[in-house]
Amino acid sequence: MSPTLVEALNDQMNYEFYSSHVYLAMASYCESQNYNGFAKFFLEHAEEEREHGMKIYKYLQDRGEQAIITGFGDPSNEYESVLDACEKALEHEKVVTSRFYNLSDIAESEKEYTTISFLKWFLEEQVEEESLFETVVQKLRRIKDDESALFIYDMHISHDEVE
Ligand SMILES: [Fe+2]
Ligand SMILES: [Fe+2]
């Protein structure tokens, strides 16, 4: 792998850890508002992002490269509502998808077939991730200001919205 590709993989690994932080902050916001179902949903998602980061970590090590751990900016801890947090989660996933497209472009240009194959899993995962948050956002937009409906959705979200 070229230094450019290794750097891009490292960058994405750290971005996955950052994503984990973003969802942890969203979980904390939901919990502070007593939406414990949404908090659990985001906590589970934070775990998943950490696993994504570790997948890239392991890939780098398996290819004889050192995974370089860096920081990213602070995630936002302030949201206007559960809907606002979920809309931002959806936007975040779209950014992640475009990052995997860029990574795939680099791997393609280098004819790095092993990495192209490795990245396929993430591209497919992103389809699931975007679809998941699209669903949540759509349901929340339908619920709007109906507190009772939101109360019920909060009870069911971590059972209903699984990939
Ligand atoms: Fe991810
Ligand atoms: Fe994700």
Side-chain angles (χ1 to χ4, degrees):
M1 293 190 287
S2 74
T4 309
L5 184 54
V6 171
E7 199 187 316
L9 282 165
N10 263 304
D11 191 59
Q12 188 56 33
M13 172 192 67
N14 284 296
Y15 201 79
E16 296 291 333
F17 293 139
Y18 168 66
S19 300
S20 183
H21 253 54
V22 167
Y23 293 133
L24 185 59
M26 287 174 180
S28 177
Y29 165 77
C30 291
E31 195 157 337
S32 77
Q33 302 295 307
N34 283 315
Y35 289 115
N36 294 336
F38 278 94
K40 184 168 180 274
F41 169 75
F42 277 121
L43 275 180
E44 284 167 357
H45 220 82
E47 287 299 319
E48 216 174 87
E49 298 301 348
R50 188 175 159 74
E51 285 165 20
H52 294 169
M54 288 310 294
K55 228 180 163 81
I56 305 174
Y57 172 98
K58 189 172 184 307
Y59 181 71
L60 284 164
Q61 309 284 6
D62 285 350
R63 295 295 305 270
E65 302 290 344
Q66 183 186 353
I68 305 295
I69 312 301
T70 64
F72 254 96
D74 295 340
S76 172
N77 283 274
E78 280 163 37
Y79 301 97
E80 281 166 26
S81 60
V82 171
L83 172 61
D84 180 41
C86 292
E87 281 173 339
K88 281 170 181 151
L90 175 59
E91 285 316 303
H92 186 81
E93 289 300 335
K94 286 181 178 170
V95 170
V96 173
T97 302
S98 73
R99 293 177 67 101
F100 277 109
Y101 271 75
N102 288 337
L103 258 171
S104 301
D105 281 344
I106 300 169
E108 287 269 356
S109 72
E110 294 182 11
K111 296 189 193 299
E112 230 309 321
Y113 296 113
T114 312
T115 303
I116 292 165
S117 159
F118 170 73
L119 292 172
K120 264 197 181 125
W121 183 89
F122 285 95
L123 291 171
E124 282 160 19
E125 173 71 10
Q126 283 312 115
V127 174
E128 297 300 319
E129 299 269 82
E130 283 193 34
S131 158
L132 172 72
F133 283 109
E134 287 276 8
T135 304
V136 174
V137 165
Q138 195 182 58
K139 286 184 184 179
L140 285 172
R141 282 186 186 149
R142 213 173 281 153
I143 286 170
K144 273 192 187 137
D145 300 324
D146 186 340
E147 289 282 345
S148 336
L150 187 56
F151 179 83
I152 292 164
Y153 191 30
D154 182 60
M155 284 200 296
H156 293 281
I157 184 162
S158 53
H159 301 284
D160 289 359
E161 316 304 358
V162 284
E163 284 176 41

